[in-house]
Amino acid sequence: MADVEKKDTVIVGGGPGGYVAAIRASELGQKVTLIEKGDPGLGGVCLNIGCVPSKALIAAGHRLQETLDSSTYGVSKTNATIDFKKTQDWKQKKVVDRMTRGVKMLLKKHKVEIIDGVAMMDNDHQLRVLKSGPKQFMDFDGGRKIEWNNLILATGSRPVEIPNFKFEGRVIDSTGGLNLPEIPKEFVVIGGGYIGTELAGAYADLGSHVTIIEGTDSILGGFDKDMVKVVVKNLKKKGIDIITGAMAKNSTQDDSSVTVTYEVDGKESSIKADYCMVSVGRKPNTDNFGLDMTSVKMDDHGKVIVDKQGKTNVDHIYAVGDMVPGPALAHKAFFEGKTAAGAIAGKNTANDWVGVPAVCFADPELAQVGMTASEAKDKGIEVATAQFPFAGNARAVSLDQPDGFVRFVYTKEKKNVVGAQVVGPEASTLAGELSLIVNCGMNVEDVALTIHPHPTLNEPIQEAADVALGLPTHI
Ligand SMILES: Cc1cc2nc3c(=O)[nH]c(=O)nc-3n(C[C@H](O)[C@H](O)[C@H](O)COP(=O)(O)OP(=O)(O)OC[C@H]3O[C@@H](n4cnc5c(N)ncnc54)[C@H](O)[C@@H]3O)c2cc1C
């Protein structure tokens, strides 16, 4: 029997929650051990098979479209082609591998001990590290036994499978969608959430004919309807078919295609495609590493219940990222990792999701922070809204991207901003300023009195504040 090793701060999972917690814990003087099972590996879902490679494919699609048609600018059309193997190589080697190497280097610099293997919980005080791979559970009696002063769980999440759409062959999850060997001629996406919509847009730009099958009455259900309208219009312009109120029923496949059957209003239809990507949600990794051997409590969705500092009901055990409630987003996981590491160091840290931005890198991008008008009204807050269109912004027009708007939701009485939405060019970047405004509880007057550079895509933020004050300039 191996001896039990006593460690200081142990972190399970090296994704955005785990590796950021490790760095912060080390900065705050803790001796840190990080256990990562290697699938997907350091950087987690985000760096390896999520945020980062998806944005690389989206960027490649935009480049192709710009090269194919920039006639608006008087640039003549070229016979551009795409070598998708090269695109995939670039995405993997120059983007993903480079960024994950960076994470490893940062952890090394912060003297974080990295253990390769699967952590399995034994009880509230001990875990074992087993070798990764299919035999992992066979040597359950073996493995390194580890105890901790403090433990941070950051095991993340994985895609949900639906009946009759087992992930194999031409039925793929988002990871499969990111790693296709060729650009599909026909691509079916089941689930029009932000992951499905982003990859649908990327493949449409790369030349696929894409169909989105969505169960509810609209794609991007979590986003404000006025913003979604702008995106839907553009997705349709790209030739994407969006079928809403549709239930995916069945899939059959042969060597070269998959046939997807779905039902709308009781009527069944089928589409034959090269690939079918299912992106209907993700489930927390809380059921596959022995958490039931501990007294850590979970909610009805299988997520670990934590307090504002990320602390579970068990002393010295914290949990962060996709495995705890709240939006499953990398920037939320980063923040929670820092909060938990700070809490362990005795700092007065707390998670506060007032200003957490939700972003979708569709075309155009959209982002929202804080409350929408209807959410505010549901909470009994009297609010008004003011918006400024990108069509009135010189920079957006010169980029030939005039669709969309910036909108503030602010209290009627004091004009404090409680929410903001943006759909349009670089919405993801603008979301940073909007988060600051909401997080700081700024008044629209504060925003209106902040000089923004001209001509930039940030100006609609100031101009929307002017609209709120009844003093618009450019509309
Ligand atoms: C296609 C796609 C696109 C996305 N785009 C965005 C985006 O644009 N912006 C955004 O904010 N978010 C995005 N996300 C979500 C984002 O990736 C996640 O919110 C984020 O990765 C969660 O971080 P995490 O640390 O909680 O978990 P994860 O990233 O899931 O990392 C968990 C890590 O723990 C390891 N692990 C699990 N169990 C064990 C164990 N028992 N022992 C050892 N190691 C273990 C895993 O190997 C993994 O590396 C996207 C996700 C997908 C799938």
Side-chain angles (χ1 to χ4, degrees):
M1 279 287 221
D3 288 339
V4 179
E5 300 169 52
K6 181 84 192 234
K7 306 277 185 190
D8 185 14
T9 297
V10 173
I11 297 172
V12 179
Y19 86 75
V20 169
I23 291 171
R24 181 55 60 91
S26 160
E27 285 167 344
L28 295 174
Q30 296 154 43
K31 280 200 162 47
V32 186
T33 301
L34 188 150
I35 306 165
E36 168 54 54
K37 71 182 169 64
D39 174 20
L42 287 178
V45 168
C46 177
L47 266 190
N48 293 281
I49 50 170
C51 332
V52 176
S54 58
K55 287 4 156 229
L57 280 191
I58 290 168
H62 286 174
R63 281 295 167 95
L64 178 63
Q65 284 308 311
E66 278 164 24
T67 316
L68 281 170
D69 187 5
S70 287
S71 52
T72 317
Y73 299 101
V75 178
S76 59
K77 202 168 178 170
T78 62
N79 291 323
T81 56
I82 180 160
D83 177 346
F84 195 54
K85 188 178 172 320
K86 216 166 165 185
T87 311
Q88 288 287 31
D89 263 13
W90 161 75
K91 182 201 79 186
Q92 191 58 41
K93 293 184 186 140
K94 298 283 163 94
V95 183
V96 173
D97 294 352
R98 177 186 163 147
M99 299 308 288
T100 48
R101 268 200 312 275
V103 168
K104 196 167 187 176
M105 204 184 73
L106 286 170
L107 291 170
K108 212 169 145 192
K109 185 171 169 274
H110 286 89
K111 301 193 171 23
V112 173
E113 177 194 20
I114 300 171
I115 301 180
D116 298 328
V118 181
M120 292 292 293
M121 301 297 293
D122 273 346
N123 52 50
D124 288 352
H125 311 282
Q126 182 185 296
L127 59 75
R128 290 171 204 225
V129 184
L130 307 172
K131 287 192 191 75
S132 327
K135 284 192 187 149
Q136 68 194 40
F137 295 106
M138 291 169 68
D139 56 15
F140 190 70
D141 281 339
R144 265 168 94 167
K145 291 181 191 162
I146 291 179
E147 286 180 356
W148 52 82
N149 288 334
N150 286 287
L151 176 69
I152 302 177
L153 301 172
T155 55
S157 64
R158 60 184 188 276
V160 169
E161 243 178 15
I162 52 173
N164 304 325
F165 289 84
K166 192 172 165 43
F167 296 137
E168 63 184 10
R170 290 176 180 273
V171 176
I172 53 178
D173 60 8
S174 56
T175 306
L178 290 168
N179 293 320
L180 288 178
E182 73 263 325
I183 298 167
K185 282 196 180 64
E186 282 290 337
F187 188 46
V188 170
V189 174
I190 298 177
Y194 83 90
I195 293 175
T197 303
E198 286 185 4
L199 285 179
Y203 278 106
D205 281 347
L206 289 166
S208 304
H209 175 255
V210 181
T211 306
I212 301 177
I213 295 177
E214 164 59 40
T216 67
D217 64 355
S218 169
I219 61 165
L220 298 174
F223 287 91
D224 176 86
K225 284 197 171 10
D226 293 339
M227 299 161 84
V228 176
K229 258 190 227 156
V230 179
V231 175
V232 166
K233 190 175 138 210
N234 202 41
L235 293 182
K236 287 188 174 164
K237 220 161 99 189
K238 286 180 196 291
I240 298 179
D241 289 329
I242 302 172
I243 305 171
T244 54
M247 293 313 293
K249 300 282 278 190
N250 202 5
S251 65
T252 52
Q253 48 180 310
D254 55 31
D255 286 349
S256 60
S257 68
V258 52
T259 301
V260 177
T261 308
Y262 62 94
E263 189 182 298
V264 181
D265 292 335
K267 189 171 163 257
E268 278 195 1
S269 308
S270 296
I271 308 176
K272 195 170 175 180
D274 302 280
Y275 293 96
C276 165
M277 183 180 86
V278 180
S279 51
V280 294
R282 298 180 63 82
K283 65 186 284 193
N285 289 326
T286 50
D287 56 353
N288 51 7
F289 71 106
L291 206 53
D292 53 344
M293 306 292 280
T294 71
S295 349
V296 170
K297 283 196 182 134
M298 284 180 260
D299 67 15
D300 293 344
H301 304 285
K303 294 201 168 190
V304 172
I305 299 168
V306 287
D307 68 10
K308 283 208 155 198
Q309 292 196 304
K311 202 165 165 193
T312 68
N313 58 306
V314 178
D315 261 356
H316 307 292
I317 300 186
Y318 294 75
V320 301
D322 282 9
M323 71 185 308
V324 304
L329 294 168
H331 42 272
K332 168 192 169 268
F334 290 149
F335 198 88
E336 288 175 340
K338 292 178 194 168
T339 301
I344 290 169
K347 308 265 177 211
N348 190 17
T349 56
N351 293 317
D352 171 7
W353 302 136
V354 171
V356 64
V359 181
C360 173
F361 293 73
D363 186 9
E365 297 177 350
L366 63 170
Q368 63 189 31
V369 187
M371 288 180 258
T372 60
S374 60
E375 283 165 355
K377 279 173 195 153
D378 286 349
K379 290 195 170 143
I381 306 172
E382 276 212 66
V383 290
T385 60
Q387 71 185 51
F388 185 86
F390 280 103
N393 172 253
R395 178 76 171 153
V397 172
S398 64
L399 289 167
D400 193 29
Q401 296 176 57
D403 292 341
F405 57 84
V406 172
R407 181 198 283 154
F408 282 122
V409 180
Y410 55 95
T411 58
K412 273 193 180 155
E413 198 195 344
K414 294 194 169 159
K415 293 196 182 331
N416 289 333
V417 180
V418 294
Q421 292 108 41
V422 51
V423 56
E426 295 294 336
S428 58
T429 305
L430 301 184
E433 183 178 342
L434 297 178
S435 296
L436 190 68
I437 292 168
V438 174
N439 239 341
C440 295
M442 281 187 193
N443 185 287
V444 286
E445 204 164 16
D446 298 327
V447 184
L449 292 175
T450 304
I451 299 176
H452 284 61
H454 177 76
T456 64
L457 296 170
N458 300 68
E459 284 173 289
I461 295 177
Q462 188 180 8
E463 302 235 32
D466 281 338
V467 174
L469 295 173
L471 298 166
T473 308
H474 290 108
I475 45 167

